[in-house]
Amino acid sequence: MTLQIVPSFASPTPVYIRNLRSINESDYMSQTIAPVLVFGATGQQGGSVTNALLKAGQTVRALVRDPASVKAIKLASRGVEVVRGDLSDTASIEEAMSGVRGVFSVQPSSPTGTLTDADEVRYGIAVADAAVRAGVEQFVYSSVGTASDEPTGMGHFDSKAEIEAHVRTLPIAWTIVRPVAFMDMLVMPGFGLDEGRFSFFAGRDQTMQFLAVEDIGKFVAPIFADPERFAGQTIEIASDIVTGTEIEAAFSRAAGRSITYSRFSDEVLAANPFLSGLTALLDSGPLAGHADLAEMRQLNPEILTFESWLAGSGREAFQLALGTSGQWDYNR
């Protein structure tokens, strides 16, 4: 198998990813004694990782703010050990890490409106340091595909690069995964689907990689199954690569009518610095995604294409967007 080198704009030093292969469920069974602590288990990424670990027979512990919430109760009903804790409460984090063999760390980003970039950095570093103090054997941090040793100008990307730099200093086995843009972004209301059109960052013939949220756990579970092989690696993860024209065709088939694709207009970008910044990062490279999809398929044989995701777990959100007007809203 060829080696993948993460591009220099995406990592302080090139990282070689060797021998990625699929791992059968039987490979996991010896990993079930001590739990893996999952942050964000009631959210998208943590939920995906929890699902994959449970399917693999791994014992999972979840840190949640409210164990009485509907999502937390559902986790408990599936056999997840739910513990109360908060990112701002270091003592609760350390208590949750007692007796675990691994930690999956992910923090909210500032665009969600729940914290600042500085908060994210502080929490990400605190979780990593707590894992060291607790004697955790393996630490997996979920960053972002656009993370770089050079500032991107987008605070919620640069904050993750800062956390990455700290994770690389940990005296324990660590792995960093860098998810590319989520497919879910494509089916949020506000991009014009209710009007029979769709506007996004890429040009009609410009490529962009996307990641199905449910695939995240399928990439992370094998990492927890083989700490030695993945220790010290930074792995960009993606599910598929599409052009604007291909998005147009897939949306039209799924909707049963014509959906016209276009890149955001200059007027829209001039009026929205956030969208403008993301579009610039796509044009310059980082947001386009650089995962080796052939290696991704070896690591996760169940990898989803954009069309298969749209026909499955993405269909409900797509149908909602077709009938929902309004402005683009990251929080939604």
Side-chain angles (χ1 to χ4, degrees), residues 51-260:
N51 290 338
L53 290 175
L54 288 175
K55 183 179 179 181
Q58 170 66 57
T59 304
V60 178
R61 180 180 296 172
L63 183 84
V64 301
R65 285 178 294 180
D66 182 10
S69 69
V70 174
K71 290 183 178 180
I73 291 173
K74 185 175 181 179
L75 285 175
S77 71
R78 298 173 61 202
V80 175
E81 181 187 357
V82 175
V83 297
R84 186 191 304 274
D86 191 277
L87 288 172
S88 61
D89 183 355
T90 304
S92 71
I93 292 174
E94 292 183 346
E95 184 176 355
M97 288 184 180
S98 177
V100 306
R101 71 172 188 86
V103 170
F104 174 75
S105 175
V106 63
Q107 289 76 47
S109 289
S110 58
T112 64
T114 59
L115 80 175
T116 66
D117 296 325
D119 289 334
E120 181 185 358
V121 172
R122 184 170 70 256
Y123 293 153
I125 290 176
V127 170
D129 288 346
V132 174
R133 291 194 297 272
V136 173
E137 298 174 2
Q138 186 181 15
F139 188 85
V140 178
Y141 170 61
S142 182
S143 179
V144 68
T146 47
S148 171
D149 55 327
E150 296 294 332
T152 65
M154 303 291 286
H156 65 295
F157 294 152
D158 295 340
S159 58
K160 293 173 177 60
E162 192 171 344
I163 296 171
E164 279 193 14
H166 185 78
V167 169
R168 291 190 179 93
T169 70
L170 301 182
I172 58 177
W174 57 263
T175 304
I176 296 169
V177 292
R178 288 178 168 171
V180 300
F182 292 164
M183 291 181 183
D184 304 63
M185 288 184 63
L186 296 170
V187 293
M188 291 193 300
F191 287 126
L193 284 172
D194 60 303
E195 300 175 356
R197 60 180 178 82
F198 183 74
S199 299
F200 205 62
F201 308 112
R204 291 183 59 82
D205 297 322
Q206 192 172 13
T207 59
M208 185 172 177
Q209 289 187 342
F210 289 94
L211 174 66
V213 169
E214 59 198 276
D215 271 344
I216 297 174
K218 298 172 187 176
F219 291 126
V220 171
I223 295 173
F224 277 114
D226 199 342
E228 290 187 7
R229 183 154 57 91
F230 293 101
Q233 295 190 13
T234 298
I235 308 173
E236 187 165 346
I237 57 176
S239 302
D240 200 0
I241 182 169
V242 294
T243 64
T245 301
E246 289 169 338
I247 293 174
E248 177 183 84
F251 277 174
S252 296
R253 284 191 290 269
R257 54 186 171 86
S258 177
I259 302 292
T260 303

